[in-house]
Amino acid sequence: MADTTGNSGITTETGTAGVAPGADSTPRKSSWKFIGPGMVVAATGVGAGDLVATLIAGSNFGYTLLWAAVLGCLVKISLAEAAGRWHLSTGRTLFDGWASLGRWTTYFFVVYVVVWGFVYGAAAMSSSALPLQALFPDVMDLKWWAIACGLSGLVFVWFNKYEVFEKVMTVLVGVMFVVTVYLAIRVTPNLGDAFAGLLPVLPDEKDSILNTLGLIGGVGGTITLAAYGYWVNAKGWTNTGWMKVMRFDNRVAYATTGIFVVSMLFVGAELLHSANVSIASGDKGLIQLSDILEDKYGTATAKFFLIGFFATSYTSLIGVWHGVSLMFADFVERFRRGTEGTTGEEIASGARERSWPFRAYLLWLTFPPIVLLFQGQPFRLIILYGVLGAAFLPFLAGTLLVLLNSSRTPAEWRNRLLSNTMLVIAGLLFLVLCVKQIWDQPWSEFF
């Protein structure tokens, strides 16, 4: 039967619970054998910057903000689950939903992916290059390592489909997991203080509220949360029969993310806080940590950590190369069609991964940012990048609230109280962080 969702501009042929006629929507039992997109979103979302932020929180406040790191995982679970639920319940992609809210979403997305992708490309390549240069200092300069990382990511994503991409990401997640857990055990955490850190207490220091909100908001992913629904479809999950599987997959993803960030907070609390050692913000802080580990535990531990650092950075690189290119390809396809939307089945077919928009955005992420590696990052572009990045998660939370509480979503799969509460919390949290980010920008130098 035809189900036209009000003024959304989305018309779908729906059977049971919004699933295309003939599609197998029989509920499948959640199982470890299905896990995949969650590992991809966990690996992509946790970058070197997240680990440094957690390290600094541990070094500054000990275990006091452990609860904030855990809450950050819960908030991101709600956002990723909502994105996945939209894809499975409607059979449509997230950009299809955004387009139904008005042209302003298109304008925001276009500016975002162009500016954000340009600057992020350089940042991701540099982040992946840092541990390689530390491991092999005499091979070549940092810039050339960065270019090698970008080009290898381009070639890998260009020539491989989702199935291979997922397997490689899962292996790299395994490396990240082993390294971070090993370090957490190596520093011998004080478990009594760690459990006490699960109580929601704020430090006495100035700006502790904003620092706490920043830690909550920084745990694992920005646009990759929106890409989760696309990876769910690419896995072959395209209808409500996969809903339980998707939710289990999502929870495993953020449980894994939680282990990453909690482990690094342990390292910060025990290795840095107790010795009153500070490290720089940004990726270079992890190089400093490598030096500290070498002094305390030996060269082997330091090199082991650098391998984990590389896995963390490189998964973020190839994850964005694949996931955001997939979103861009979907955007272009919908724009080409006009009001006719695109479906999860089309993503599952792999056609988007072979399309020219997918590969064009891959090239955009790789080659223009190389210029920034040699010339430095333009000041105004960096400000705009920071503002757009800060605005994306309030945009995602707000639009998901509207989409999943309206007739655009089949009634059975609309938000319930818990989902709405978590999305509202997420939206307010990221709105506060967005305003702070905009406020902190040196606008007087922009004009």
Side-chain angles (χ1 to χ4, degrees), residues 48-134:
D50 298 295
L51 297 187
V52 171
T54 311
L55 271 172
I56 292 175
S59 66
N60 290 339
F61 308 117
Y63 294 102
T64 306
L65 293 181
L66 180 59
W67 65 271
V70 174
L71 180 58
C73 291
L74 296 177
V75 168
K76 299 295 179 67
I77 283 175
S78 66
L79 283 167
E81 187 275 340
R85 178 154 44 94
W86 166 266
H87 277 249
L88 295 183
S89 65
T90 65
R92 298 280 163 172
T93 66
L94 186 54
F95 192 83
D96 211 45
W98 285 340
S100 75
L101 300 176
R103 290 187 177 181
W104 68 273
T105 59
T106 300
Y107 301 145
F108 175 83
F109 183 78
V110 168
V111 175
Y112 179 85
V113 295
V114 171
V115 176
W116 181 88
F118 184 36
V119 181
Y120 180 83
M125 286 187 269
S126 296
S127 179
S128 299
L130 278 170
L132 291 176
Q133 188 189 44

Side-chain angles (χ1 to χ4, degrees), residues 28 62 168 248 262 268 293 297 309 359 406:
R28 293 164 173 82
V168 171
F248 179 66
V262 168
L293 288 169
Y297 300 114
F309 176 7
R359 291 176 170 174
S406 72

Side-chain angles (χ1 to χ4, degrees), residues 327-398:
M327 293 181 68
F328 182 77
D330 182 52
F331 156 72
V332 172
E333 181 61 23
R334 194 189 191 286
F335 183 79
R336 185 184 67 80
R337 294 181 182 184
T339 58
E340 182 185 352
T342 58
T343 67
E345 293 284 356
E346 290 173 287
I347 303 296
S349 72
R352 293 287 183 275
E353 295 170 275
R354 299 185 295 273
S355 67
W356 70 261
F358 180 91
R359 291 176 170 174
Y361 194 73
L362 266 179
L363 296 173
W364 175 255
L365 283 168
T366 307
F367 288 104
I370 289 176
V371 176
L372 299 185
L373 296 175
F374 286 93
Q375 296 185 353
Q377 299 181 355
F379 180 74
R380 293 183 180 181
L381 194 63
I382 296 302
I383 291 179
L384 189 56
Y385 165 79
V387 170
L388 287 170
F392 186 81
L393 284 178
F395 166 80
L396 178 62

